């Protein structure tokens, strides 16, 4: 089911076999008992009710419901040990810690890159580097791939892109002497104009109209606000057909959805690691560049000594000889404590596979969607496959809740974005008082992300039934 299965069909089968009610606590418990990844929850520190701001219920020592992994992932239990091991090594060995186990510091970036390759679908280490932060990496990659001319100078991002992406892109345009009012194109819904989703037809229509003036298309792999998963392979192929580079911000995609960046032909991508990769707030980020660009040493780049050939790095010469691949964009040696925090989480990922995680995610989020629609009497989310005028918010039934995330499971990750008619702060405060942690996006949206590594079906049931008690 990892590549677009039908969780609704799976749920219907389970309901028929068990004869349990969709909204029953017993169904959630049954689903948890059948979850083959349930052991992974013990690999994380689960926040307790008593520690949640505003909590005023009973059972203070029980686990809270944390549905905010799309903003900050939970801390792996092993992280503390991994970090303390490096502090102890520093205390005992000083500079020799660069070469001593566990996790020698000198190659720690390469160690992390090797472990993340299967998660992002890189072919080899030449395509992946662990370095910097997401916005820094986006700037570095745009230096290489955004080379505007008088004819081809536009960058496309999606409407409601994460603000930092827009800031980075607009500043790159200004730095090259162009005006963002003319050169920054924000792609929104076209024929499906009242919807929250962007269809492939919307993207194709824009490129057919303006493709000759577009230099780079740089979109979120998963749209941070709506939770829509874009078809990165089709977008990349479309970009290349129109002479554009295809780049993606994978902050909300990496560790959340299947990624095959090499096979899809993506030119470049970057991501943070503190959401679904659970590396801790502000953790080290990553970057991808397709191997077809690996030996194009004429690509402009901002250079630093960690991007220099390691065989000559310590010769301290003036001659910069870039490594082949994205590693040539490294500026400095990776911060060790951030790197081992990421490695602690990647060790948990190595206990399963992205296919297994995505299979659970499809069922978990499908269960969330079904419960919300059933208990709150609302429609499923908009369709990315709807024809012009077929699926608009004006034609959907009125409800206290509107789902903004696509209904098609293969066009979303684990997140559902919910728009409320009730004041969203009131809803969030009630949820918090019951030990339920969600993400509020004012004025009226709550983003909910049941993460398959550590969330349960009972978490989802507790969230939706609490929500129903507030709204119904």
């Amino acid at each position: 089911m990892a590549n677009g299965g039908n969780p609704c069909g799976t749920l219907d089968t389970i309901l028929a076999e068990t004869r349990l009610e969709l909204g029953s606590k017993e169904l959630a418990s049954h689903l948890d008992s059948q979850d083959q990844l349930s052991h992974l929850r013990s690999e994380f520190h689960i926040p307790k009710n008593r520690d949640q701001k505003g909590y005023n219920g009973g059972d203070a020592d029980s686990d809270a419901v944390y549905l905010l992994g799309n903003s900050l992932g939970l801390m792996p239990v092993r992280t503390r040990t991994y970090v303390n091991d490096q502090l102890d090594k520093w205390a005992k060995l000083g500079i020799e810690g660069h070469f001593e186990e566990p996790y020698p510091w000198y190659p720690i970036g390469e160690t992390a890159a090797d472990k993340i390759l299967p998660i992002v679908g890189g072919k080899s280490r030449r395509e992946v580097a662990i370095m910097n932060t997401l916005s820094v990496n986006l700037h570095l990659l745009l230096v290489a791939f955004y080379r505007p001319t008088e004819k081809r100078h536009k960058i496309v991002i999606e409407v409601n892109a994460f603000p930092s992406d827009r800031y980075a892109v607009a500043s790159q345009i200004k730095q090259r002497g162009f005006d963002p009012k003319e050169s920054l194109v924000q792609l929104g819904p076209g024929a499906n104009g009242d919807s929250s989703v962007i269809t492939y037809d919307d993207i194709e229509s824009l490129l057919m109209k303006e493709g000759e003036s577009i230099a780079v298309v740089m979109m979120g792999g998963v749209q941070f606000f709506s939770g829509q998963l874009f078809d990165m392979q089709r977008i990349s192929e479309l970009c290349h057909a129109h002479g554009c580079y295809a780049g993606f911000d994978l902050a909300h995609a990496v560790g959340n959805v299947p990624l095959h960046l090499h096979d899809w032909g993506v030119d470049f991508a970057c991501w943070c690691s503190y959401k679904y990769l659970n590396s801790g707030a502000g953790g080290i980020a990553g970057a991808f560049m397709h191997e077809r660009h690996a030996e194009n040493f004429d690509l402009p780049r901002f250079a630093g000594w960690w991007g220099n050939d390691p065989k000559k790095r310590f010769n301290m010469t003036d001659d910069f000889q870039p490594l082949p691949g994205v590693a040539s964009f490294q500026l400095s040696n990776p911060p060790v404590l951030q790197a081992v925090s990421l490695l602690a989480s990647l060790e948990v990922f190595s206990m399963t596979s992205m296919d297994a995680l995505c299979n659970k995610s499809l069922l978990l989020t499908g269960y969330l969607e079904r419960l919300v629609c059933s208990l709150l009497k609302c429609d499923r989310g908009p369709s990315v496959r709807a024809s012009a005028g077929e699926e608009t918010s004006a034609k959907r039934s009125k409800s206290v809740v509107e789902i903004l995330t696509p209904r098609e499971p293969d066009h979303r990750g684990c997140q559902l974005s919910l728009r409320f008619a009730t004041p969203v702060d009131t809803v969030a405060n009630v949820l918090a008082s019951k030990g339920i942690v969600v993400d509020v996006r004012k004025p009226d949206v709550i983003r909910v992300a049941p993460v398959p590594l550590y969330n349960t079906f009972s978490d989802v049931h507790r969230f939706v039934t609490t929500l129903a008690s507030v709204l119904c």
Side-chain angles (χ1 to χ4, degrees):
M1 199 165 64
N3 292 312
N6 182 2
C8 292
T10 304
L11 272 174
D12 287 337
T13 300
I14 294 170
L15 288 167
E17 291 175 348
T18 62
R19 298 185 179 181
L20 295 171
E21 294 293 328
L22 176 65
S24 69
K25 189 174 182 180
E26 289 76 17
L27 176 62
S29 297
H30 173 78
L31 291 169
D32 284 332
S33 72
Q34 300 300 305
D35 177 13
Q36 296 186 7
L37 300 183
S38 61
H39 62 287
L40 296 176
R41 181 175 169 91
S42 65
E43 294 288 333
F44 293 86
H45 289 289
I46 308 299
K48 300 297 182 183
N49 285 331
R50 64 175 177 268
D51 297 319
Q52 304 315 302
K53 184 177 180 181
Y55 181 74
N56 60 14
D59 205 10
D61 292 330
S62 292
D63 292 342
V65 173
Y66 188 87
L67 297 171
L68 202 52
N70 56 340
S71 188
L72 180 67
L74 290 181
M75 176 180 169
V77 172
R78 63 186 69 198
T79 299
R80 193 184 309 275
T81 298
Y82 277 45
V83 170
N84 284 341
D85 284 347
Q86 301 310 313
L87 293 174
D88 290 343
K89 186 165 64 174
W90 180 24
K92 295 174 182 177
L93 300 178
I95 199 168
E96 292 301 319
H98 281 87
F99 312 104
E100 297 295 329
E101 297 288 350
Y103 292 121
W105 304 336
Y106 185 73
I108 201 165
E110 289 86 349
T111 302
D114 286 341
K115 288 185 178 294
I116 209 167
L117 272 172
I119 295 176
V120 300
K123 181 180 178 181
S124 72
R125 193 189 293 167
R126 295 175 71 170
E127 291 189 325
V128 174
I130 301 302
M131 60 186 191
N132 308 316
T133 61
L134 190 160
S135 292
V136 171
N137 290 338
L138 178 55
H139 275 295
L140 294 175
L141 291 165
L142 285 174
V143 166
F145 287 97
Y146 179 54
R147 304 192 297 276
T149 65
E150 288 299 321
K151 180 180 178 181
R152 193 182 285 274
H153 56 87
K154 295 178 181 177
I155 301 179
V156 176
I157 62 174
E158 78 272 19
V159 168
N160 286 328
F162 195 77
S164 189
D165 286 356
R166 191 187 188 287
Y167 304 154
V169 166
S171 65
Q172 287 276 340
I173 290 170
K174 288 180 182 178
Q175 196 272 336
R176 312 304 173 85
F178 290 85
D179 185 350
K181 292 180 181 179
E182 297 179 357
S183 299
L184 176 55
V185 179
Q186 296 190 72
L187 172 66
N192 238 4
D194 291 329
S195 176
S196 55
V197 300
I198 297 170
T199 68
Y200 179 79
D201 288 345
D202 296 330
I203 301 168
E204 185 176 43
S205 176
L206 174 66
L207 284 168
M208 288 291 292
K209 181 180 178 182
E210 301 187 45
E212 291 185 356
S213 64
I214 295 170
V216 176
V217 174
M218 211 299 296
M219 300 175 62
V222 170
Q223 215 288 324
F224 99 98
F225 185 75
S226 70
Q228 179 181 355
L229 167 61
F230 292 109
D231 189 333
M232 288 173 263
Q233 181 173 12
R234 290 185 73 191
I235 292 171
S236 297
E237 291 170 353
L238 186 61
C239 288
H240 297 156
H242 288 272
C244 318
Y245 288 119
F248 296 92
D249 172 351
L250 302 178
H252 291 267
V254 66
N256 177 21
V257 297
L259 296 173
H260 304 283
L261 299 181
H262 174 84
D263 292 344
W264 293 343
V266 171
D267 290 299
F268 69 92
C270 49
W271 58 88
C272 59
S273 65
Y274 50 81
K275 301 181 190 298
Y276 298 106
L277 294 183
N278 315 298
S279 70
I284 195 167
F288 168 90
M289 183 176 73
H290 199 278
E291 70 169 3
R292 66 175 167 270
H293 306 297
E295 297 192 19
N296 182 1
F297 299 115
D298 292 329
L299 282 175
R301 73 196 74 210
F302 289 158
W305 83 313
W306 224 250
N308 198 17
D309 183 348
K311 296 176 182 177
K312 301 182 179 181
R313 187 176 288 157
F314 286 92
N315 292 349
M316 303 300 178
T317 65
D318 294 338
D319 183 27
F320 177 75
Q321 297 189 5
L323 285 160
V326 72
S328 65
F329 291 82
Q330 296 175 111
L331 300 179
S332 303
N333 52 320
V336 169
L337 300 183
Q338 289 188 23
V340 293
S341 292
L342 173 59
L343 283 164
S345 179
L346 294 179
E347 290 290 349
V348 180
F349 274 90
S350 72
M351 298 168 65
T352 182
S353 67
M354 282 306 300
D355 278 351
L357 286 169
C358 291
N359 278 335
K360 177 180 174 180
S361 183
L362 283 166
L363 185 58
L364 191 60
T365 302
Y367 174 61
L368 168 63
E369 179 191 45
R370 285 283 292 273
L371 272 186
V372 167
C373 292
S374 175
L375 299 187
L376 300 177
K377 305 294 189 294
C378 73
D379 291 332
R380 298 176 67 196
S383 173
V384 297
R385 300 189 179 102
S387 59
E390 176 185 334
E391 181 75 31
T392 67
S393 59
K395 292 184 179 181
R396 301 173 71 205
S397 61
K398 297 297 183 181
S399 174
V400 292
V401 176
E402 176 190 0
I403 300 176
L404 303 180
T405 309
R407 65 178 58 179
E408 292 88 357
D410 55 338
H411 285 274
R412 67 188 185 208
C414 72
Q415 174 183 316
L416 284 190
S417 297
L418 308 176
R419 175 171 284 151
F420 291 82
T422 303
V424 72
D425 284 339
T426 301
V427 176
N429 288 339
V430 172
L431 292 173
S433 74
K434 304 298 183 183
I436 300 172
V437 186
V438 294
D439 179 62
V440 175
R441 296 286 157 166
K442 293 183 178 181
D444 54 6
V445 171
I446 286 178
R447 303 184 308 154
V448 184
V451 175
L453 277 172
Y454 48 75
N455 281 125
T456 66
F457 293 89
S458 293
D459 285 342
V460 169
H461 182 268
R462 182 172 154 192
F463 163 70
V464 180
T465 53
T466 302
L467 198 59
S469 72
V470 177
L471 299 176
C472 299

